[in-house]
Amino acid sequence: MSDFVRIHEVGPRDGLQNEPGVIPVADKVALIDLLGTSGLRDIEVGSFVSPKWVPQMADTDRVLADLTPVEGVSYAVLVPNMRGWDGFVAARVPGVIYEVAVFISASEGFSQSNLNCSIAESVERLAPVVRAAVAAGVGVRGYISCVTDCPFEGPVAPDAVARAAEMVLAVAPMQLSLGDTIGKGTPERVVTMLEAVSQVAPVTQLAGHFHDTGGQALANIDASLEMGLRAFDSAVGGLGGCPYAPGAPGNVATEAVLDLVHGLGFQTGVDVDVIAKAAKMARGMR
């Protein structure tokens, strides 16, 4: 297996979306621009969702306009539907590399609570976005939440996660980020889940997205590395969580993930000193 681990920085979106205070656009842009100098190749910078539900992301169009793009860096935005796609198209800057993220849940209960629809209906909603992105030459990434536990239904069966993955991949090929949304996963359960999902998608197509709510995120990443995963989401400074998942603060910190994977002998191309500065900046936004 490759000795290179790709880190997807999600702090400016998945991290900051859960902060209660208003964060100025200039502060968001300063964080993104600093992260862009670190060697990261994937930075999630915002989302085109209803400002009524996620007010922290209401200024994503201004963030895209003001950030200083770095050559070779892909800037990701979450786009839940065609209204969001239209917002992204209006805001994107020519010449910048973008990626569109779409999402579903492996749990029917979470899907109903978060999206007010079934899993199957959520796939129908994201399909036009994926098709539009593919037609426009924009990269696409899929998020699957609640891959071990649901805040409403409890433990999620590994086969349910595999079915959700299969449904998304039937729309188009893409990387799938598997999210332990409430941070209750353990290495043993993560391995069982990955064994199921790897029956429908190669591990090279999968990424791990672990919250550290239960203090298991790094152990889960270690177990995922053993399974062959080489891509992980993290948030600088351990920012954020999911506003629709009660009791789910705290993405795993980028600096902690780097310490782990570098200590295990993997390469990332990321400058830990720059990340340390970004983590200090991010913590100051809380």
Side-chain angles (χ1 to χ4, degrees), residues 251-278:
N251 289 288
V252 66
T254 302
E255 54 271 28
V257 176
L258 291 173
D259 284 346
L260 172 67
V261 298
H262 289 166
L264 292 172
F266 292 97
Q267 304 298 314
T268 64
V270 179
D271 187 327
V272 295
D273 292 331
V274 177
I275 292 299
K277 294 177 183 177

Side-chain angles (χ1 to χ4, degrees), residues 58-210:
D59 51 17
T60 294
D61 57 340
R62 295 168 57 200
V63 170
L64 294 190
D66 291 353
L67 65 82
T68 302
V70 176
E71 185 177 358
V73 175
S74 175
Y75 297 91
V77 291
L78 195 70
V79 177
N81 50 41
M82 287 304 292
R83 179 178 295 179
W85 170 259
D86 291 340
F88 162 67
V89 169
R92 64 180 176 175
V93 177
V96 179
I97 301 171
Y98 293 110
E99 182 177 68
V100 164
V102 295
F103 60 94
I104 69 167
S105 172
S107 156
E108 289 288 355
F110 191 75
S111 185
Q112 291 290 349
S113 175
N114 191 7
L115 300 174
N116 296 312
C117 66
S118 68
I119 295 172
E121 288 169 336
S122 70
V123 174
E124 291 177 2
R125 290 182 185 179
L126 66 81
V129 175
V130 173
R131 288 194 290 266
V134 170
V138 177
V140 182
R141 190 174 196 238
Y143 284 97
I144 301 178
S145 59
C146 299
V147 298
T148 64
D149 295 88
C150 169
F152 308 105
E153 296 183 350
V156 175
D159 288 348
V161 186
R163 286 194 298 272
E166 197 168 28
M167 292 168 71
V168 175
L169 293 176
V171 178
M174 67 185 77
Q175 184 182 63
L176 296 179
S177 174
L178 305 173
D180 176 19
T181 306
I182 59 175
K184 287 191 174 183
T186 62
E188 295 78 13
R189 295 180 62 215
V190 166
V191 166
T192 302
M193 179 271 297
L194 290 175
E195 287 174 341
V197 177
S198 65
Q199 299 302 305
V200 300
V203 292
T204 53
Q205 202 170 344
L206 306 177
H209 183 117
F210 298 106

Side-chain angles (χ1 to χ4, degrees), residues 41-65:
R41 288 294 173 263
D42 304 276
I43 305 173
E44 194 177 63
V45 298
S47 59
F48 288 90
V49 298
S50 169
K52 175 182 177 181
W53 301 114
V54 189
Q56 283 288 15
M57 295 293 107
D59 51 17
T60 294
D61 57 340
R62 295 168 57 200
V63 170
L64 294 190

